Amino acid sequence: MADKTKVGTMWLGGCSGCHLSIADFHESLLDVLELADFEFSPVLMDTKYDEVPELDVLIVEGGIRNEENRELIEMLREKAGLVIAYGTCAAYGGIPGLGNLHTVDELTQEAYIDSPSTYNEEGIIPSEDVPALESRVRPLDQVIDVDLMIPGCPPKSDVVAQAILTLLKGETIELPTTNLCEVCTREKPPAGLAMDFIKRQFEVGKPEDDLCLIAQGLVCMGPATVSLCGAQCPSIAIPCRGCYGPTAKVNDAGAKMISAIASDYGVSEDKTVDPEQVADQLDDIVGTFYTYTLPAALVPAKMQKGGE
Amino acid sequence: MSDDIKIVMFCCNWCSYGGADTAGTARMQYPPNIRVIRVMCSGRIDPQFVLKAFRDGADGVFVAGCHMGDCHYDAGNYKLDRRMRLVYKLVEDMGIGKERVYHDWISASEGEKFKNAVTMMVNRIKELGPCPLKGQLDAEA
């Protein structure tokens, strides 16, 4: 029998949720283990960073948040043949990326001193044994060369299992190029996606079955999100938050979605609707449209006055 | 320094670009800090274009389209109008400042208005100084 492929997994600035998605392979795990051995995985086994074996495939979860993340990924890049940016944090920065709206000082102040659950009378901000934060969160491909991106928060287990099996068999992986609306089963209104108001879910209550959520006033990120997940959230009446990121044709998912929502808003009475209305009803533009993709956006971090 | 500022301007083919032409043929004088990009309709302008301009080093972005009701494609400028209101909020949240973005309506006959609007925008950006975005990202990379 030919040698098995050596697979490693690594976690950086993530939450380990993506590793759970690997643990959820169920029966597919047997197929994967036929072809591959997990040789390095700090989540699953005891590992030493100075004894990392040569790897064929490295699956990386999480973005680059601190100096340790950067050092480890640069070391691992040398050891690995293929690097997969696995999950939205690795591919686009993910939710930790919203930290890019604040300076490092603001973040440490909040985490170590100001947060209500913290008891730190002397106001000590640890600097030893804790890796220093970098100026902003970065997706993997801004730090090292990445061979494949599998987004998702977390990526669906069967999607990952399929992708890894395809890769192990030496075949080409093709990610979908269509948006979520293509696969969403909800009915699109015949006259286009006109919305007359923007509401949050708790204000709407239970949305109507079978009708597009945008037409019901919810900001569903489906139009700017890749169709890799199969529209799971809209199918149970939860608007898409864009956790899989955009399709490959889009540079900036948030801006694309802003474009879509602003165009759809009151589109049936284009000429009479107050243009300020749509902006008035959305308070947190960055948090709404860039929940998962801020570090990969065209403007990846808040500019500080005077450019620091 | 402030003479080096660059403003990217998007003009729609049917009105604002014509307005620029009118200003040109009438030999009106306006500052040279503006770079005009022609698009078929202001409704074509995606917020990505605005952000991309800043990312690549623009200090300001000016979007111009037909007057309300004059859109060659009926209602493209109405959609742009709504979109820009969100873009103002976005660039403000991202620390770029909403003063660096501006949109206005200029018809093909309004060479004078084109000149005045461009002059106003250039003066406004000169006062604000260069946009720190590109420098900050380049320094970090």
Side-chain angles (χ1 to χ4, degrees):
Chain A
M1 195 183 132
D3 279 347
K4 287 186 182 180
T5 309
K6 298 192 194 72
V7 177
T9 75
M10 184 60 195
W11 56 357
L12 303 169
C15 68
S16 87
C18 296
H19 271 87
L20 291 187
S21 188
I22 292 181
D24 270 347
F25 273 9
H26 297 296
E27 289 84 1
S28 313
L29 189 59
L30 299 174
D31 300 333
V32 171
L33 290 178
E34 286 266 301
L35 298 165
D37 269 332
F38 284 86
E39 297 257 320
F40 173 85
S41 177
V43 185
L44 302 171
M45 58 181 87
D46 183 29
T47 50
K48 301 279 181 286
Y49 288 143
D50 55 358
E51 291 169 19
V52 181
E54 295 291 323
L55 299 163
D56 298 315
V57 180
L58 177 68
I59 299 170
V60 186
E61 167 198 334
I64 308 298
R65 169 74 269 191
N66 59 35
E67 287 171 356
E68 186 198 26
N69 297 154
R70 182 182 287 266
E71 193 182 319
L72 288 173
I73 197 60
E74 281 172 354
M75 178 268 288
L76 285 166
R77 173 73 263 197
E78 298 291 310
K79 302 272 185 188
L82 280 176
V83 172
I84 303 179
Y86 173 58
T88 296
C89 293
Y92 302 111
I95 288 182
L98 285 176
N100 287 1
L101 291 174
H102 304 276
T103 63
V104 168
D105 287 342
E106 284 167 8
L107 292 174
T108 45
Q109 175 79 19
E110 176 67 25
Y112 293 121
I113 297 174
D114 291 345
S115 50
S117 59
T118 302
Y119 181 74
N120 185 358
E121 241 177 15
E122 291 159 52
I124 298 168
I125 291 181
S127 57
E128 284 172 38
D129 302 326
V130 182
L133 296 185
E134 294 205 338
S135 60
R136 60 185 159 100
V137 177
R138 289 177 178 80
L140 272 197
D141 67 347
Q142 291 182 16
V143 177
I144 56 162
D145 288 335
V146 170
D147 301 289
L148 173 69
M149 279 194 208
I150 304 179
C153 188
K156 259 170 81 182
S157 293
D158 49 347
V159 170
V160 188
Q162 204 55 47
I164 289 179
L165 282 172
T166 315
L167 200 66
L168 290 176
K169 288 174 188 154
E171 294 159 15
T172 314
I173 295 177
E174 280 186 26
L175 296 177
T177 54
T178 52
N179 74 1
L180 209 61
C181 304
E182 287 291 314
V183 297
C184 180
T185 52
R186 288 184 170 265
E187 198 182 312
K188 320 290 176 287
L193 292 175
M195 49 193 330
D196 303 321
F197 50 84
I198 293 174
K199 290 223 156 105
R200 293 169 70 186
Q201 184 122 33
F202 71 89
E203 298 171 300
V204 175
K206 187 173 181 293
E208 250 178 77
D209 292 333
D210 308 328
L211 180 65
C212 172
L213 294 170
I214 290 186
Q216 301 186 54
L218 293 166
V219 177
C220 173
M221 290 281 284
T225 303
V226 70
S227 61
L228 205 55
C229 65
Q232 295 181 100
C233 296
S235 74
I236 54 160
I238 305 232
C240 169
R241 297 197 174 92
C243 79
Y244 273 72
T247 65
K249 288 173 190 158
V250 173
N251 271 329
D252 188 315
K256 201 72 198 166
M257 195 59 209
I258 286 174
S259 178
I261 286 289
S263 312
D264 289 342
Y265 190 86
V267 72
S268 46
E269 60 243 31
D270 249 340
K271 297 183 181 175
T272 49
V273 71
D274 174 10
E276 199 63 58
Q277 258 184 32
V278 58
D280 277 348
Q281 292 183 62
L282 287 162
D283 285 327
D284 182 9
I285 302 282
V286 182
T288 306
F289 296 106
Y290 288 95
T291 323
Y292 295 88
T293 56
L294 186 61
L298 287 165
V299 181
K302 181 170 179 172
M303 293 297 100
Q304 303 308 323
K305 290 288 171 221
E308 290 186 30
Chain B
M1 258 312 263
S2 64
D3 280 344
D4 292 341
I5 62 153
K6 284 194 192 75
I7 297 172
V8 172
M9 180 171 188
F10 294 98
C11 287
C12 80
N13 180 53
W14 304 100
C15 295
S16 312
Y17 199 78
D21 250 358
T22 308
T25 42
R27 303 195 172 217
M28 291 176 189
Q29 299 291 312
Y30 58 86
N33 306 65
I34 208 122
R35 308 289 185 274
V36 176
I37 296 174
R38 179 172 60 162
V39 290
M40 286 312 282
C41 177
S42 57
R44 171 70 184 91
I45 292 155
D46 188 313
Q48 287 185 95
F49 300 177
V50 177
L51 300 179
K52 174 85 172 150
F54 283 117
R55 176 67 182 249
D56 289 349
D59 302 304
V61 176
F62 187 172
V63 180
C66 303
H67 282 275
M68 289 303 167
D70 286 354
C71 179
H72 189 76
Y73 307 98
D74 186 42
N77 50 357
Y78 289 92
K79 294 177 179 66
L80 172 85
D81 198 13
R82 293 199 291 274
R83 226 172 272 157
M84 291 306 287
R85 313 294 171 121
L86 282 171
V87 171
Y88 290 131
K89 278 182 110 169
L90 174 65
V91 290
E92 186 68 18
D93 286 354
M94 295 312 293
I96 293 171
K98 62 171 184 274
E99 302 79 15
R100 292 187 185 275
V101 186
Y102 182 60
H103 78 296
D104 205 349
W105 320 118
I106 300 171
S107 83
S109 62
E110 291 176 326
E112 186 76 25
K113 183 171 183 186
F114 180 89
K115 185 197 90 169
N116 292 339
V118 166
T119 313
M120 181 284 295
M121 189 62 182
V122 170
N123 288 337
R124 190 204 275 189
I125 302 294
K126 273 188 177 165
E127 204 150 291
L128 290 169
C131 177
L133 178 70
K134 184 162 190 283
Q136 190 172 319
L137 293 178
D138 286 352
E140 281 175 359

